[in-house]
Amino acid sequence: QSMLTQPPSVSGAPGQRVTISCTGTNSTFGAGFDVHWYQQIPGTAPKLLIYGNNNRPSGVPDRFSGSKSDTSASLAITGLQAEDEADYYCQSYDHRLSSWVFGGGTKLTVL
Amino acid sequence: QVLLQQWGAGLLKPSETLSLTCAFYGGSFSGYYWSWLRQPPGKGLEWIGVINQSGYTNYNPSLKSRVTISPDTSKNQFSLRLTSVTAADTAVYYCARGWKWDYVDYWGQGTLVTVSS
């Protein structure tokens, strides 16, 4: 069972904006720990998309942005493109569990 | 360019020990955190543990009794050892690097490990 909660799927048309939510707890985001986001194209290794709540690694387009507030976080993708079709995972740290925790993943479909 | 290459046995019997090694190319081994994660077929990601050169270690409590992650700084490598495997340990295993302790920024290509009698 995932400690972070994500919607199983989201979809959008090319050019649209979509958001993926990630709900944590008082022992993860609520305790001040950062949230990070990964993109995984099926059959390949995950790729870091957002780190430290809202920072993009070099090479990640600015169409991707992250935010965090209290016990919730979200990933926004603007100007949706076919290549964005993938699974997206949020990740944080749970100090009660003393463990990294992941969301269950959200499958993004570009219509 | 940062590259992580991993290898190890892909088929194990129940009760055997899983052993994987990951080599890092394109920089210094020191100053980073080195992690293992896994992903059962068709499922989400699970963190196994993280170490650094200075002796920092943190393991997933659910696996802690069976896991050892060890660095070999002379070879820019680190390894994963998971004892007493069962079918529930069947997964793609990834090695990864992070420049902070709480996330990873580069991933290995993944190794499918199947546990079956």
Side-chain angles (χ1 to χ4, degrees):
Chain A
Q1 185 175 354
S2 303
M3 295 298 112
L4 305 178
T5 303
Q6 299 179 235
S9 63
V10 298
S11 63
Q16 284 188 334
R17 177 182 187 270
V18 297
T19 61
I20 298 173
S21 62
C22 176
T23 302
T25 66
N26 288 327
S27 59
T28 56
F29 310 158
F33 292 101
D34 289 340
V35 63
H36 318 287
W37 291 89
Y38 302 90
Q39 177 194 58
Q40 185 178 33
I41 295 170
T44 69
K47 167 190 169 184
L48 179 65
L49 204 60
I50 298 288
Y51 67 95
N53 306 318
N54 55 15
N55 300 288
R56 284 185 309 276
S58 173
V60 173
D62 60 6
R63 301 186 295 105
F64 295 90
S65 63
S67 63
K68 189 194 86 167
S69 176
D70 294 329
T71 58
S72 67
S74 65
L75 173 71
I77 309 172
T78 59
L80 205 57
Q81 299 179 4
E83 67 200 50
D84 299 332
E85 192 161 281
D87 296 318
Y88 293 83
Y89 294 91
C90 58
Q91 178 248 313
S92 186
Y93 183 78
D94 189 310
H95 76 88
R96 282 195 298 110
L97 299 176
S98 296
S99 177
W100 295 17
V101 288
F102 282 90
T106 298
K107 180 176 181 58
L108 169 63
T109 300
V110 180
L111 301 171
Chain B
Q1 181 172 342
V2 175
L3 179 65
L4 287 88
Q5 281 192 327
Q6 54 183 104
W7 64 89
L11 181 61
L12 297 173
K13 290 182 168 52
S15 80
E16 292 185 334
T17 295
L18 180 156
S19 181
L20 298 174
T21 301
C22 181
F24 169 60
Y25 303 94
S28 171
F29 193 81
S30 63
Y32 295 102
Y33 293 83
W34 306 95
S35 299
W36 288 95
L37 304 97
R38 69 182 184 179
Q39 185 172 34
K43 296 188 178 180
L45 297 165
E46 181 181 28
W47 171 71
I48 298 171
V50 59
I51 64 166
N52 72 359
Q53 183 191 8
S54 302
Y56 172 86
T57 61
N58 193 9
Y59 295 136
N60 186 324
S62 69
L63 299 170
K64 189 172 185 176
S65 63
R66 300 192 291 129
V67 170
T68 303
I69 299 175
S70 304
D72 184 342
T73 57
S74 66
K75 295 181 179 180
N76 270 18
Q77 295 177 1
F78 63 110
S79 62
L80 169 69
R81 192 168 177 268
L82 180 67
T83 61
S84 303
V85 298
T86 69
D89 295 311
T90 294
V92 175
Y93 286 74
Y94 294 100
C95 63
R97 187 201 82 167
W99 66 274
K100 283 185 67 180
W101 64 274
D102 63 336
Y103 70 94
V104 293
D105 57 358
Y106 284 97
W107 298 67
Q109 79 274 21
T111 301
L112 174 61
V113 176
T114 302
V115 180
S116 174
S117 56

